[in-house]
Structure formats: C-alpha cells, structure tokens
Amino acid sequence: MQEKLTEKQAEQLTDWYEKNRRSLPWRDTGNPYHVWISEIMLQQTRIEAVIPKYEAFIRELPDTAALARCDDDRLMRLWEGLGYYSRARNLKKCAEVLTENFGGRLPEDYALLKKLPGIGPYTAGAIASIAFSIPVPAVDGNVLRVLARVFAVREDIRSEETKKHITDTLSEVYASAHVSCSSFNQGMMELGETLCLPAKPHCSTCPWNESCLALQQGTVSQIPYRSPLKQRKIIRRTLLVIREGEKFMIRRRPEKGLLAGLYEFIGIDEDLEAKDALAEAEKMGMTPLRIRPLPDSVHVFTHLEWHMKAYEIRIAEGAKLKDGCILVSRAEIADKALPSAFRAYTRWYALREDE
Ligand code: SF4
C-alpha cells in the first residue's frame, strides 16, 4: 500500500478545491461557531436538508451565549428533521461549558476541542483546521472512502485499526506539503461528497485519477469494504392519534433513551387491532367516540426499525390527562419537537409548514 499522500497530490487536491468548491452558507465566514454548528448538523444528514436548518438555527441562535440560554423545547424544534437529537443536546451542553470556562469561545486548541461535549476527533479536526488553520486531520466516512480508494485498501473500513492506518497516512501531508490545511481538509470532504461517491464515482473529473490505485486496479466498486452490520431489530408499534375537537394529544418521551425528551403521539409497542386500541384509550381514562385507521409507516433508526400502524381516535371532551399527556392546538404543536419518526402523521394532518 502507498503509505502517504504526496505533495503533488496535496497540491492537485487544493487546486481542484479552490476552483470547484460549492458555495455553502457556513463557508468562508471564518467563524468557528458556524463551522462547529454546520459540522455537527452534517453528521448523518444530507447537505440539502442541513442548509435551511442551519440558516434558521444561526438566525435564532447566532452565538454560543444564545445557544447556552436556549430553552430545550425551542432547541429541539430547531433541530427537528435532522434526527439524532442527542447532537442538539450536546451542542447546548457544550455551549454552557464554553460560556462558563472559555469566555463563550471555542478554544483554538485541537486537544481541548476534543474534550468538549459532543465534539469527537472528526469535528475537532474540522473546527481546528477550517476555523483556526491548525494542521490536523478531519476524517469522516467520506474521507475514509476517498483514501481507501486512493490507496486501494482492501481491509474492513469499519475496523478501528484500518481507520487509524488510513488517518495516519495524512499526518505527513500537513508537515511537508505547502498547502493550506483548511483547503486540504475541505477539499477531501468536497471530493468525497461530490466526486468520489459511494456508488458512482466521477473518476474522469477527479484530480487524483492519475494516482488513484483503486482506479488503476479496477477495484473502485469493491472499495471500501465494509463488514456487514448486525440486522436491525424490528419493533411493531401502534400509535393512537387522540383528537379532542381540533386538539391533538401528545406526551413527552422519557428523559433517557431513544428520542429522549421529545414529544410523541401515544405509542404502544404492540400491533393492536382497533378494538384493542380503543381499550387502551379507555384504560387511560378517555371516552372514545369513534376510531379510524391511518396509513401505516416505517421509521428506520440506526439499530432498530419502528413499523407503525396508527388510529385516529376521537374522544369526548373533559378527559383527565394522565402520564404527562397534553392536549394542544395546531398552533401549539408547531412549537413542540415531534421527531421525524412521526413525519407520516404530521404530514397527514399538515402540522408542519416546512414539510
Ligand atoms: S479516481 Fe475515482 S475512485 Fe479514485 S479518488 Fe477519484 S473519484 Fe475516487
């Protein structure tokens, strides 16, 4: 295996990046807060989905002080649609630490950045190199794929050993090549996002197509190799969309675990027939008036899938609310964070303007 990137490759990449980079709202602001928020949002989420969310987030919470002060419900609402809500919780936790210990600023120090809540080696590397020009790697899944192909790495890309081996190939570039580490790291990210795509890489326009070993060997489609993931657990659920007049019943999920602290329609981890769904509503102290089925839906999490059926149940007025349930109007629900797991139903009732 080629052991490191050459100076020529580093220059080819940064030249290509300077000529071809996309205009993105967080680019070139020089603001570490902007780099941080965008990098956290971009983890696990497509760039097109991130742009409007990022713009709204920065408008409402323009700096760490505003983020540290933000009410949890408001924060979750701003994060809605991006998924993986623990990222938003960690952002706030981190903003509190920054306000308390760092004068509200991200520290200009890679090692300190890595110790902050929710900031792992990749994000620390991105902030350090892009915002502070510190020459350190920022290696995410896209960058790993590019490098695995350039070096024709056949080992399992999920293994920590392979990841470390690939990351180590970068270390000398920062020391030897006369390129900006910010442009180099962003070039790697951009190459992975726009040319070296998982299924159909655009090798003919790639700045590294003369030196890429996978291209030379005809193994691009086999690299990177990933060992299979364990099968996701499937949970069958029944949602009760309880309506009292024009209002909807929702409740907050427990503070720990999946979708912690977010709102949901009443959900039961069983595949219920209509009569059983009515019995559940009665058990909760409600008087059902009528029931109708809603469309089924599936939501896929990293390790499990919810296969949901749902019923709308109209209830008589004056039900005693139990188990943290609340009744909210359409206007009120707009301010509550209902995760995208329930998107089939928020769309069904047109509860979100942005969906
Ligand atoms: S030549 Fe093709 S496979 Fe190799 S890095 Fe470029 S886009 Fe990826």
Side-chain angles (χ1 to χ4, degrees):
M1 168 180 160
Q2 181 186 334
E3 287 304 324
K4 59 174 182 152
L5 285 174
T6 62
E7 232 173 281
K8 185 175 169 196
Q9 282 172 311
E11 278 163 19
Q12 286 170 329
L13 180 70
T14 47
D15 286 352
W16 170 82
Y17 173 68
E18 294 303 338
K19 285 182 198 127
N20 295 283
R21 64 193 191 153
R22 293 164 297 174
S23 162
L24 299 171
W26 48 85
R27 267 201 180 140
D28 301 325
T29 65
N31 183 328
Y33 178 73
H34 293 177
V35 176
W36 172 39
I37 301 298
S38 63
E39 287 299 340
I40 298 289
M41 285 187 171
L42 286 164
Q43 289 165 17
Q44 322 270 0
T45 312
R46 284 175 309 108
I47 212 158
E48 301 77 33
V50 164
I51 290 173
K53 290 281 165 189
Y54 167 85
E55 287 174 332
F57 193 98
I58 295 293
R59 237 185 348 262
E60 293 234 0
L61 306 174
D63 51 35
T64 46
L67 175 54
R69 281 194 311 265
C70 181
D71 169 77
D72 285 353
D73 278 354
R74 186 75 202 121
L75 180 63
M76 291 304 128
R77 182 69 182 96
L78 283 169
W79 203 260
E80 204 181 284
L82 293 170
Y84 300 94
Y85 286 79
S86 56
R87 291 182 294 168
R89 268 183 260 284
N90 278 330
L91 274 181
K92 180 170 170 182
K93 222 185 279 171
C94 186
E96 288 165 353
V97 173
L98 293 173
T99 308
E100 212 162 292
N101 303 321
F102 295 92
R105 291 204 176 87
L106 285 148
E108 208 169 314
D109 181 314
Y110 180 52
L112 281 179
L113 284 167
K114 276 196 289 184
K115 288 187 187 152
L116 291 167
I119 298 191
Y122 166 75
T123 312
I127 298 169
S129 61
I130 299 171
F132 301 125
S133 295
I134 299 172
V136 286
V139 179
D140 66 353
N142 283 331
V143 173
L144 275 177
R145 180 176 61 254
V146 175
L147 290 174
R149 285 173 172 168
V150 171
F151 297 137
V153 175
R154 307 299 293 258
E155 285 81 23
D156 181 7
I157 199 94
R158 288 194 209 281
S159 102
E160 287 307 317
E161 208 185 333
T162 313
K163 284 184 197 166
K164 183 176 178 318
H165 189 57
I166 292 178
T167 306
D168 286 349
T169 61
L170 289 173
S171 54
E172 286 182 44
V173 168
Y174 304 107
S176 64
H178 303 292
V179 293
S180 139
C181 57
S182 167
S183 297
F184 178 81
N185 280 356
Q186 290 187 84
M188 293 277 288
M189 296 169 192
E190 193 84 344
L191 186 59
E193 282 159 17
T194 62
L195 293 186
C196 196
L197 304 174
K200 282 195 184 148
H202 304 296
C203 300
S204 60
T205 49
C206 176
W208 284 344
N209 57 14
E210 282 177 11
S211 55
C212 174
L213 293 181
L215 186 63
Q216 283 170 18
Q217 295 170 5
T219 54
V220 171
S221 61
Q222 295 145 40
I223 296 177
Y225 166 70
R226 283 190 181 82
S227 53
L229 277 179
K230 272 199 258 160
Q231 275 221 318
R232 289 193 199 96
K233 187 174 166 193
I234 291 179
I235 297 182
R236 299 200 183 280
R237 308 196 82 209
T238 304
L239 297 186
L240 311 183
V241 181
I242 310 276
R243 307 284 314 272
E244 187 197 280
E246 283 307 299
K247 294 191 166 179
F248 291 82
M249 188 177 287
I250 55 174
R251 68 181 172 194
R252 205 191 271 276
R253 290 180 60 81
E255 286 305 321
K256 288 227 160 80
L258 190 66
L259 305 178
L262 303 177
Y263 285 91
E264 65 172 358
F265 296 113
I266 313 300
I268 295 146
D269 284 353
E270 282 177 58
D271 185 355
L272 299 180
E273 296 302 322
K275 66 175 176 24
D276 304 317
L278 287 171
E280 286 292 333
E282 281 168 359
K283 249 196 268 169
M284 292 177 75
M286 294 174 245
T287 307
L289 302 174
R290 53 184 191 275
I291 185 166
R292 66 166 175 150
L294 298 174
D296 293 350
S297 70
V298 172
H299 188 77
V300 178
F301 297 93
T302 314
H303 302 297
L304 58 89
E305 294 178 16
W306 278 357
H307 289 213
M308 293 172 278
K309 64 166 28 172
Y311 298 101
E312 178 190 83
I313 301 179
R314 292 272 173 184
I315 59 166
E317 279 188 21
K320 275 209 177 124
L321 298 175
K322 291 186 186 170
D323 305 328
C325 292
I326 52 172
L327 278 166
V328 286
S329 65
R330 281 176 179 275
E332 287 163 333
I333 217 169
D335 281 333
K336 305 285 183 206
L338 267 173
S340 54
F342 305 110
R343 184 172 286 154
Y345 307 102
T346 50
R347 276 195 179 143
W348 177 263
Y349 289 104
L351 294 174
R352 293 286 186 252
E353 273 180 14
D354 49 359
E355 281 180 2

